[in-house]
Amino acid sequence: MKSTKFRVTAILLAAILAAAPQVHAAPSNTGKSTTAKSTASKDSAPVWSVNLGSNVTATLEHADVWQQDGTHAAVFTLNYKNGGRSPARLVSFFPKLMSGGSVNAANPITKDLAKKRIEPGQSLRVTYYAKVDSGSMAGMKLVMDVWNPQVKGYLERVGSYRLPANYSAAVAPGISTKLNLGSTPVTVQTESLEIIKYDGKVMAKVGMYMTNHGGKAWNDRGLEPYLVTASGSTFLLQREAETEGVLIQPKEKKLVYYITEVPSYLKTAGLRFSWTEHDETLKLSLPVASFKLPAATAPQWDVAAGAIKKLTIQGVPVNAQIRQSSLRASGDQGIWTIEMAFKNQGKKSVAIPAYEFALKASEGSLHPYTSDNKAGLSLRAGEEKTMLMEISLPLELKQDKLKLQMIGTAGAAGLSKQPSNSTETGNESASGSQESWALPIAYFEIPYQTERKASIGVEYGAQSAKGFAYTLESMQRLPWQDQDLILAKLRLRNTQESKSLPLPELQVNVLADERTGLSGSEIIAEEQGSLIGPGSSTEVYVMARIPYTKDIRSLRFELFTQQDTAKTPFLTMTTSGMTQSIGTLEKGKPYTITKIGKRAEAQERRTIIYEGVDSDIVYSDFILTSNEQRRVQAAVLKGYFQSTDGKIYEAETIQPEASLQPGSKQSVVFWARVPKGAASELGLALGTAMNGSKLAETDKDATGVMDVKKMMLNPIRPAVISGLTQLDWYPYNVSVTKAVGHLQEGSSSIPLNITIDVKRSDSITAADAGHKLILIIKDTLGQTQERTLTPGTDIQVPGTRSMSIELNDEEYKKLQGGWFQLTLVDEFQNERITLGSQTYNLTFQQAVNPFEER
């Protein structure tokens, strides 16, 4: 019965092979075995090649074993090479693994099942697996049988190879090995092993170099990394960065770090890094590659003052360095300002993780840096960016013994698994929970340096890689409505000898007395976004608002750039609270606007007082002359009147909207209502109006003022001119050229005929300021009446026009003659100035008796 079953099986197998005439059995006279070409190489790598017949050979390339769930899965890879003229079918070859006296059939792993034959002149790699009893391949024997119907049992042994007793699949430390991973040739080499003790935990951190020699990007996502102990215990490693898999571009070499938590009593001798790959069909994790790790070292976290900490982030080299630090006092607290610079030394962009920073005192306390912005920096290749930190701690601590602690996060996305056996774990069960660990990156020494306060007129060196030296040229405190404006003028100079530097779009925070942020802080810089040439300078103004009642001892200006949520410091400056007094122009000197495109001069023409009953109006008329070479929109001027005892009267501005041709002029008026008697001792502070960070336009409300100068005024109360010729109603001259009145005997009415001539006194543009020209008529009885002279109706502006006015009163019938008086008045905001007055005689006409002979 058994014999019959065997013959049937043999016949069926012979039929299968007969259908493949290209497969030839190994001739029986070749011998029963082919030995290994050599024993073990110096690193115990397997070296075995076996002749399978018909010029087909198989070479052993890799052999390893992996333990999981009490089962040992051994794998080995054979490279078949067909030097014959016909295809060779894999079904003719029967590799086996012998362990401890038992023979274990080896089968292709799932992804190699589709490999059926080796074409002539081609090679084919096939990985086999077998379940064995031992956790080590050392001393195991590999055998190869081929189908041969001419031998008993139809299988002929053509080769065998016993792995050396000292065999290990792990590559020696520092030796690079080229692997075929996912059809991509990748060279792998160990770099480092660090044992980190921090916050009551012990971590193992493994560094591996990987180089992609393929033509497309490669990712290690399908591989599971493990830390393996000498006794066989395994710890699943997590990628320190790029937790979804490390992407390596073609020809790129990347340093990749893996990390896991280990027991404090772990023996570090003989540790290995291993990759496994899960075969879902077989429900097995199979070993892919193994590497012996170098001797464990402890990390060096201390960084000397001014030194660079070299980091590798996502495989990209990055330098970290404290560029500047300074201490200032605020009450009982010391406030450290620390500028941390990161420079990308690699050839591609990298994102800096959101590290946690804290000041560590020698007394043991930690003082963390808190920020609203948790996003890290993004750096292009070769780019440097800085982050500015302010950290406070009690002044009673030793400020000259501080370190800046930089903490990173490792893990967070991989699975943290306990070892699969009990050698190091005390039989703890495996855990699949996600974990992350906070680990030190560096402890930077901070040199003790108090913050200097910027003095006016002194140039200070560049604070950052931006390369601009800075000078505080002036700092003023200016009245503004119910607040004051703080206006600081900075000069930035490009210190580069041959390179232009871009002036970025800047923002600013202004802090008074270390605790009060000032509202409305703005940057005014005409050349933002422009290149500043080597050695050239540019002006930047900082403007902020403060309650006018608040005294300040110090001001801190923080200039920065903002991109998305990332804030990059540009310049930080602290000054005393002392501000400069406003410069006073010499008498007769004009106010000069130097802003390119707005250059002009404003010269006082006349300041007059409109006297009222309870208050007066001070009214200053200026002539603004354009100094530009093209037609431009004039700068908007803003002013306020100031008394000798410091009282401020905000001035209203009346300015035309029309553009100015080169050399042309316009009238600009400043006026304010002041208490009685105050107008005679006022000065005018005059500046260029701003709206946000730009010069204000005539149709926009001003939000600030800059380039303020003060000039002393000589307000006058114009004398009344006797006569009505060439009266100054600026920018016009008004004259009454004819005034005739007739009195008819016995009539109750007096008709008047008045001719008024209006001429422009100057070639100037003026806005409608709301002035009214009032004609007051006083008759011979002492009675008065008023008439507002409406342009276009009563008067022509400019031009000449006559008008007729009739005075009516029954008392006129009794008159035999008389006079009338004309007075011209300029009315502004319901207050008046008399321009001139003149009296005219009436022409008397007697009544005619109709019965009197002619």
CSV table of all heavy atoms in Angstrom, one decimal, residues 87-138:
chain,number,residue,atom,x,y,z
A,87,PRO,N,15.9,28.2,-19.6
A,87,PRO,CA,15.4,28.6,-18.3
A,87,PRO,C,15.5,27.4,-17.3
A,87,PRO,O,15.3,26.3,-17.6
A,87,PRO,CB,14.0,29.0,-18.5
A,87,PRO,CG,13.9,29.2,-20.0
A,87,PRO,CD,14.8,28.3,-20.6
A,88,ALA,N,15.7,27.8,-16.0
A,88,ALA,CA,15.7,26.8,-14.9
A,88,ALA,C,14.6,27.1,-14.0
A,88,ALA,O,14.3,28.2,-13.6
A,88,ALA,CB,17.0,26.9,-14.2
A,89,ARG,N,13.8,26.0,-13.7
A,89,ARG,CA,12.6,26.2,-12.8
A,89,ARG,C,13.0,25.9,-11.3
A,89,ARG,O,13.7,25.0,-11.0
A,89,ARG,CB,11.5,25.2,-13.2
A,89,ARG,CG,10.9,25.5,-14.6
A,89,ARG,CD,9.7,24.6,-14.9
A,89,ARG,NE,9.1,25.0,-16.1
A,89,ARG,CZ,8.2,25.9,-16.3
A,89,ARG,NH1,7.8,26.6,-15.3
A,89,ARG,NH2,7.7,26.1,-17.5
A,90,LEU,N,12.5,26.8,-10.5
A,90,LEU,CA,12.8,26.7,-9.0
A,90,LEU,C,12.2,25.5,-8.4
A,90,LEU,O,12.7,25.0,-7.4
A,90,LEU,CB,12.3,28.0,-8.3
A,90,LEU,CG,13.1,29.3,-8.6
A,90,LEU,CD1,12.5,30.4,-7.8
A,90,LEU,CD2,14.6,29.1,-8.2
A,91,VAL,N,11.2,25.0,-9.1
A,91,VAL,CA,10.5,23.8,-8.5
A,91,VAL,C,11.4,22.6,-8.5
A,91,VAL,O,11.2,21.6,-7.8
A,91,VAL,CB,9.2,23.5,-9.3
A,91,VAL,CG1,9.6,22.9,-10.7
A,91,VAL,CG2,8.3,22.5,-8.6
A,92,SER,N,12.6,22.6,-9.2
A,92,SER,CA,13.5,21.5,-9.2
A,92,SER,C,14.5,21.5,-8.0
A,92,SER,O,15.2,20.6,-7.9
A,92,SER,CB,14.3,21.6,-10.5
A,92,SER,OG,13.5,21.5,-11.7
A,93,PHE,N,14.5,22.6,-7.3
A,93,PHE,CA,15.5,22.8,-6.2
A,93,PHE,C,14.8,22.7,-4.8
A,93,PHE,O,13.7,23.4,-4.6
A,93,PHE,CB,16.2,24.1,-6.3
A,93,PHE,CG,16.7,24.3,-7.8
A,93,PHE,CD1,16.5,25.6,-8.4
A,93,PHE,CD2,17.4,23.3,-8.5
A,93,PHE,CE1,17.0,25.8,-9.7
A,93,PHE,CE2,17.8,23.5,-9.7
A,93,PHE,CZ,17.6,24.8,-10.4
A,94,PHE,N,15.4,22.0,-3.9
A,94,PHE,CA,14.8,21.8,-2.6
A,94,PHE,C,15.8,22.1,-1.5
A,94,PHE,O,16.5,21.2,-0.9
A,94,PHE,CB,14.3,20.3,-2.5
A,94,PHE,CG,13.4,19.9,-3.5
A,94,PHE,CD1,13.8,19.4,-4.8
A,94,PHE,CD2,12.0,20.1,-3.3
A,94,PHE,CE1,12.9,19.0,-5.7
A,94,PHE,CE2,11.1,19.7,-4.3
A,94,PHE,CZ,11.6,19.2,-5.5
A,95,PRO,N,15.9,23.4,-1.1
A,95,PRO,CA,16.8,23.8,0.0
A,95,PRO,C,16.1,23.4,1.4
A,95,PRO,O,14.9,23.4,1.5
A,95,PRO,CB,16.9,25.3,-0.1
A,95,PRO,CG,15.7,25.7,-0.7
A,95,PRO,CD,15.2,24.6,-1.7
A,96,LYS,N,17.0,23.0,2.3
A,96,LYS,CA,16.5,22.6,3.7
A,96,LYS,C,17.4,23.2,4.7
A,96,LYS,O,18.6,23.5,4.4
A,96,LYS,CB,16.4,21.0,3.8
A,96,LYS,CG,15.5,20.3,2.8
A,96,LYS,CD,15.5,18.8,3.0
A,96,LYS,CE,14.6,18.1,2.1
A,96,LYS,NZ,15.1,18.2,0.7
A,97,LEU,N,16.9,23.2,5.9
A,97,LEU,CA,17.7,23.7,7.1
A,97,LEU,C,17.7,22.6,8.1
A,97,LEU,O,16.7,22.1,8.6
A,97,LEU,CB,17.1,25.0,7.6
A,97,LEU,CG,17.9,25.8,8.6
A,97,LEU,CD1,19.2,26.2,8.0
A,97,LEU,CD2,17.1,27.0,9.0
A,98,MET,N,18.9,22.2,8.6
A,98,MET,CA,19.0,21.2,9.6
A,98,MET,C,19.5,21.8,10.9
A,98,MET,O,20.5,22.5,11.0
A,98,MET,CB,20.1,20.1,9.1
A,98,MET,CG,19.7,19.5,7.8
A,98,MET,SD,20.9,18.3,7.2
A,98,MET,CE,20.8,17.0,8.5
A,99,SER,N,18.7,21.5,11.9
A,99,SER,CA,18.9,22.1,13.2
A,99,SER,C,18.7,21.1,14.3
A,99,SER,O,17.6,20.5,14.4
A,99,SER,CB,18.0,23.3,13.5
A,99,SER,OG,18.2,23.8,14.8
A,100,GLY,N,19.8,20.8,15.1
A,100,GLY,CA,19.6,19.9,16.2
A,100,GLY,C,19.2,18.5,15.7
A,100,GLY,O,18.5,17.8,16.4
A,101,GLY,N,19.6,18.1,14.6
A,101,GLY,CA,19.3,16.7,14.1
A,101,GLY,C,18.0,16.6,13.3
A,101,GLY,O,17.8,15.6,12.7
A,102,SER,N,17.2,17.7,13.3
A,102,SER,CA,16.0,17.6,12.6
A,102,SER,C,16.1,18.4,11.3
A,102,SER,O,16.9,19.3,11.2
A,102,SER,CB,14.8,18.3,13.4
A,102,SER,OG,15.1,19.6,13.7
A,103,VAL,N,15.4,17.9,10.3
A,103,VAL,CA,15.5,18.5,9.0
A,103,VAL,C,14.2,19.4,8.8
A,103,VAL,O,13.1,18.8,8.9
A,103,VAL,CB,15.6,17.5,7.8
A,103,VAL,CG1,15.6,18.1,6.5
A,103,VAL,CG2,16.8,16.6,8.0
A,104,ASN,N,14.4,20.6,8.4
A,104,ASN,CA,13.2,21.5,8.3
A,104,ASN,C,13.2,22.0,6.8
A,104,ASN,O,14.1,22.6,6.3
A,104,ASN,CB,13.4,22.8,9.2
A,104,ASN,CG,13.6,22.4,10.6
A,104,ASN,OD1,12.6,22.1,11.3
A,104,ASN,ND2,14.8,22.4,11.1
A,105,ALA,N,12.1,21.7,6.2
A,105,ALA,CA,11.9,22.2,4.8
A,105,ALA,C,11.8,23.7,4.8
A,105,ALA,O,11.2,24.3,5.6
A,105,ALA,CB,10.6,21.6,4.2
A,106,ALA,N,12.5,24.3,3.8
A,106,ALA,CA,12.5,25.7,3.6
A,106,ALA,C,11.6,26.1,2.5
A,106,ALA,O,11.6,25.5,1.4
A,106,ALA,CB,13.9,26.2,3.4
A,107,ASN,N,10.7,27.1,2.7
A,107,ASN,CA,9.8,27.5,1.6
A,107,ASN,C,10.0,29.0,1.4
A,107,ASN,O,10.4,29.8,2.3
A,107,ASN,CB,8.3,27.3,2.1
A,107,ASN,CG,8.0,25.9,2.3
A,107,ASN,OD1,8.1,25.1,1.4
A,107,ASN,ND2,7.8,25.5,3.6
A,108,PRO,N,9.7,29.5,0.2
A,108,PRO,CA,9.9,30.9,-0.1
A,108,PRO,C,8.9,31.8,0.7
A,108,PRO,O,7.8,31.3,1.0
A,108,PRO,CB,9.5,31.0,-1.6
A,108,PRO,CG,9.7,29.6,-2.2
A,108,PRO,CD,9.3,28.7,-1.0
A,109,ILE,N,9.4,32.9,1.1
A,109,ILE,CA,8.5,33.8,1.8
A,109,ILE,C,7.4,34.3,0.9
A,109,ILE,O,7.6,34.2,-0.4
A,109,ILE,CB,9.3,35.0,2.4
A,109,ILE,CG1,10.0,35.9,1.4
A,109,ILE,CG2,10.3,34.5,3.5
A,109,ILE,CD1,10.7,37.1,1.9
A,110,THR,N,6.4,34.9,1.4
A,110,THR,CA,5.2,35.2,0.5
A,110,THR,C,5.6,36.1,-0.7
A,110,THR,O,5.1,35.8,-1.8
A,110,THR,CB,4.1,35.9,1.4
A,110,THR,OG1,3.8,35.1,2.5
A,110,THR,CG2,2.9,36.3,0.6
A,111,LYS,N,6.4,37.1,-0.5
A,111,LYS,CA,6.6,38.0,-1.7
A,111,LYS,C,7.5,37.4,-2.7
A,111,LYS,O,7.6,37.9,-3.8
A,111,LYS,CB,7.2,39.3,-1.2
A,111,LYS,CG,8.6,39.2,-0.6
A,111,LYS,CD,9.1,40.6,-0.2
A,111,LYS,CE,10.6,40.5,0.4
A,111,LYS,NZ,11.1,41.8,0.8
A,112,ASP,N,8.1,36.2,-2.4
A,112,ASP,CA,9.0,35.5,-3.4
A,112,ASP,C,8.3,34.3,-4.0
A,112,ASP,O,8.8,33.6,-4.8
A,112,ASP,CB,10.3,35.1,-2.8
A,112,ASP,CG,11.2,36.2,-2.6
A,112,ASP,OD1,10.9,37.3,-3.0
A,112,ASP,OD2,12.3,36.0,-1.9
A,113,LEU,N,7.0,34.1,-3.6
A,113,LEU,CA,6.3,32.9,-4.2
A,113,LEU,C,6.1,33.0,-5.7
A,113,LEU,O,6.0,32.0,-6.4
A,113,LEU,CB,4.9,32.8,-3.5
A,113,LEU,CG,4.9,32.2,-2.1
A,113,LEU,CD1,3.5,32.2,-1.5
A,113,LEU,CD2,5.4,30.7,-2.1
A,114,ALA,N,6.0,34.2,-6.2
A,114,ALA,CA,5.8,34.4,-7.6
A,114,ALA,C,7.0,34.2,-8.5
A,114,ALA,O,6.9,34.1,-9.7
A,114,ALA,CB,5.2,35.8,-7.9
A,115,LYS,N,8.1,34.0,-7.8
A,115,LYS,CA,9.4,33.8,-8.6
A,115,LYS,C,9.4,32.3,-8.9
A,115,LYS,O,9.5,31.4,-8.1
A,115,LYS,CB,10.6,34.2,-7.8
A,115,LYS,CG,10.6,35.7,-7.4
A,115,LYS,CD,11.8,36.0,-6.5
A,115,LYS,CE,11.8,37.5,-6.2
A,115,LYS,NZ,13.0,37.8,-5.3
A,116,LYS,N,9.3,32.0,-10.3
A,116,LYS,CA,9.2,30.6,-10.7
A,116,LYS,C,10.4,30.0,-11.4
A,116,LYS,O,10.7,28.9,-11.3
A,116,LYS,CB,8.0,30.5,-11.6
A,116,LYS,CG,6.7,30.8,-11.0
A,116,LYS,CD,6.3,29.9,-9.8
A,116,LYS,CE,4.9,30.2,-9.2
A,116,LYS,NZ,4.6,29.3,-8.1
A,117,ARG,N,11.1,30.9,-12.2
A,117,ARG,CA,12.2,30.4,-12.9
A,117,ARG,C,13.3,31.5,-13.1
A,117,ARG,O,13.0,32.7,-13.0
A,117,ARG,CB,11.8,29.8,-14.2
A,117,ARG,CG,11.2,30.9,-15.2
A,117,ARG,CD,10.7,30.2,-16.5
A,117,ARG,NE,10.3,31.1,-17.5
A,117,ARG,CZ,9.9,30.8,-18.7
A,117,ARG,NH1,9.9,29.5,-19.0
A,117,ARG,NH2,9.5,31.7,-19.6
A,118,ILE,N,14.5,31.0,-13.5
A,118,ILE,CA,15.6,31.9,-13.8
A,118,ILE,C,15.9,31.8,-15.3
A,118,ILE,O,16.2,30.7,-15.8
A,118,ILE,CB,16.9,31.4,-13.0
A,118,ILE,CG1,16.5,31.2,-11.5
A,118,ILE,CG2,18.0,32.5,-13.1
A,118,ILE,CD1,16.5,29.8,-11.1
A,119,GLU,N,15.8,32.9,-15.9
A,119,GLU,CA,16.1,33.0,-17.4
A,119,GLU,C,17.6,32.8,-17.6
A,119,GLU,O,18.4,33.1,-16.8
A,119,GLU,CB,15.6,34.3,-17.9
A,119,GLU,CG,14.1,34.5,-17.8
A,119,GLU,CD,13.3,33.5,-18.6
A,119,GLU,OE1,13.8,32.9,-19.5
A,119,GLU,OE2,12.1,33.2,-18.2
A,120,PRO,N,17.9,32.4,-18.8
A,120,PRO,CA,19.4,32.2,-19.2
A,120,PRO,C,20.1,33.5,-19.0
A,120,PRO,O,19.6,34.6,-19.5
A,120,PRO,CB,19.3,31.7,-20.6
A,120,PRO,CG,18.0,31.1,-20.8
A,120,PRO,CD,17.0,31.9,-19.9
A,121,GLY,N,21.3,33.5,-18.4
A,121,GLY,CA,22.1,34.7,-18.2
A,121,GLY,C,21.6,35.6,-17.1
A,121,GLY,O,22.1,36.7,-17.0
A,122,GLN,N,20.6,35.2,-16.4
A,122,GLN,CA,20.0,36.1,-15.4
A,122,GLN,C,20.3,35.5,-14.0
A,122,GLN,O,20.6,34.3,-13.8
A,122,GLN,CB,18.5,36.2,-15.6
A,122,GLN,CG,18.1,36.8,-16.9
A,122,GLN,CD,18.5,38.2,-17.0
A,122,GLN,OE1,18.4,39.0,-16.1
A,122,GLN,NE2,19.1,38.6,-18.2
A,123,SER,N,20.1,36.4,-13.0
A,123,SER,CA,20.2,36.0,-11.6
A,123,SER,C,18.8,36.3,-10.9
A,123,SER,O,18.0,37.1,-11.3
A,123,SER,CB,21.3,36.8,-10.9
A,123,SER,OG,22.5,36.5,-11.4
A,124,LEU,N,18.6,35.6,-9.8
A,124,LEU,CA,17.3,35.7,-9.1
A,124,LEU,C,17.6,35.4,-7.6
A,124,LEU,O,18.1,34.3,-7.3
A,124,LEU,CB,16.3,34.7,-9.7
A,124,LEU,CG,14.9,34.8,-9.1
A,124,LEU,CD1,14.2,36.2,-9.5
A,124,LEU,CD2,14.0,33.7,-9.6
A,125,ARG,N,17.2,36.4,-6.8
A,125,ARG,CA,17.3,36.2,-5.3
A,125,ARG,C,16.0,35.7,-4.8
A,125,ARG,O,14.9,36.2,-5.1
A,125,ARG,CB,17.6,37.5,-4.7
A,125,ARG,CG,19.1,37.9,-4.8
A,125,ARG,CD,19.4,39.2,-4.0
A,125,ARG,NE,20.7,39.6,-4.1
A,125,ARG,CZ,21.3,40.3,-5.1
A,125,ARG,NH1,20.5,40.7,-6.1
A,125,ARG,NH2,22.6,40.6,-5.1
A,126,VAL,N,16.1,34.6,-3.9
A,126,VAL,CA,14.9,34.1,-3.3
A,126,VAL,C,15.2,33.9,-1.8
A,126,VAL,O,16.2,33.4,-1.4
A,126,VAL,CB,14.5,32.7,-3.9
A,126,VAL,CG1,13.3,32.1,-3.2
A,126,VAL,CG2,14.3,32.8,-5.4
A,127,THR,N,14.3,34.4,-1.0
A,127,THR,CA,14.4,34.2,0.5
A,127,THR,C,13.5,33.2,1.0
A,127,THR,O,12.3,33.2,0.7
A,127,THR,CB,14.2,35.6,1.2
A,127,THR,OG1,15.1,36.6,0.7
A,127,THR,CG2,14.3,35.4,2.7
A,128,TYR,N,14.1,32.2,1.8
A,128,TYR,CA,13.3,31.1,2.3
A,128,TYR,C,13.2,31.3,3.8
A,128,TYR,O,14.0,31.9,4.5
A,128,TYR,CB,14.1,29.8,2.0
A,128,TYR,CG,14.2,29.5,0.5
A,128,TYR,CD1,15.3,30.0,-0.2
A,128,TYR,CD2,13.2,28.7,-0.2
A,128,TYR,CE1,15.4,29.7,-1.6
A,128,TYR,CE2,13.4,28.4,-1.5
A,128,TYR,CZ,14.4,28.9,-2.2
A,128,TYR,OH,14.6,28.7,-3.5
A,129,TYR,N,12.2,30.6,4.3
A,129,TYR,CA,12.0,30.6,5.8
A,129,TYR,C,11.8,29.2,6.3
A,129,TYR,O,11.3,28.3,5.5
A,129,TYR,CB,10.8,31.5,6.2
A,129,TYR,CG,9.5,30.9,6.1
A,129,TYR,CD1,8.8,30.2,7.1
A,129,TYR,CD2,8.8,30.9,4.8
A,129,TYR,CE1,7.6,29.6,7.0
A,129,TYR,CE2,7.6,30.3,4.7
A,129,TYR,CZ,7.0,29.7,5.7
A,129,TYR,OH,5.8,29.0,5.6
A,130,ALA,N,12.1,29.0,7.5
A,130,ALA,CA,11.8,27.7,8.2
A,130,ALA,C,11.7,27.9,9.7
A,130,ALA,O,12.4,28.7,10.2
A,130,ALA,CB,12.9,26.7,7.8
A,131,LYS,N,10.8,27.2,10.3
A,131,LYS,CA,10.7,27.3,11.7
A,131,LYS,C,11.7,26.3,12.4
A,131,LYS,O,11.7,25.1,12.1
A,131,LYS,CB,9.2,27.0,12.2
A,131,LYS,CG,8.2,28.0,11.7
A,131,LYS,CD,6.8,27.7,12.3
A,131,LYS,CE,5.8,28.8,11.8
A,131,LYS,NZ,4.5,28.5,12.4
A,132,VAL,N,12.5,26.9,13.3
A,132,VAL,CA,13.5,26.1,14.0
A,132,VAL,C,13.4,26.2,15.5
A,132,VAL,O,12.6,27.0,16.0
A,132,VAL,CB,14.9,26.6,13.5
A,132,VAL,CG1,15.1,26.3,12.0
A,132,VAL,CG2,15.1,28.0,13.8
A,133,ASP,N,14.2,25.4,16.2
A,133,ASP,CA,14.1,25.4,17.6
A,133,ASP,C,15.1,26.3,18.3
A,133,ASP,O,15.0,26.6,19.5
A,133,ASP,CB,14.3,24.0,18.2
A,133,ASP,CG,13.3,23.0,17.7
A,133,ASP,OD1,12.1,23.5,17.5
A,133,ASP,OD2,13.6,21.8,17.5
A,134,SER,N,16.1,26.8,17.6
A,134,SER,CA,17.2,27.6,18.2
A,134,SER,C,17.0,29.1,17.8
A,134,SER,O,16.5,29.4,16.8
A,134,SER,CB,18.5,27.1,17.6
A,134,SER,OG,19.6,27.9,18.1
A,135,GLY,N,17.5,29.9,18.7
A,135,GLY,CA,17.5,31.3,18.5
A,135,GLY,C,18.8,31.8,17.8
A,135,GLY,O,18.9,33.1,17.7
A,136,SER,N,19.6,30.9,17.4
A,136,SER,CA,20.9,31.3,16.8
A,136,SER,C,21.1,30.5,15.5
A,136,SER,O,20.8,29.3,15.5
A,136,SER,CB,22.1,31.2,17.7
A,136,SER,OG,23.3,31.4,17.0
A,137,MET,N,21.7,31.1,14.5
A,137,MET,CA,22.0,30.3,13.3
A,137,MET,C,23.3,29.6,13.4
A,137,MET,O,23.7,28.8,12.5
A,137,MET,CB,22.0,31.2,12.1
A,137,MET,CG,20.6,31.8,11.7
A,137,MET,SD,19.5,30.6,11.1
A,137,MET,CE,20.2,30.3,9.5
A,138,ALA,N,24.1,30.0,14.4
A,138,ALA,CA,25.5,29.4,14.5
A,138,ALA,C,25.4,27.9,14.6
A,138,ALA,O,24.6,27.3,15.4
A,138,ALA,CB,26.1,29.9,15.8
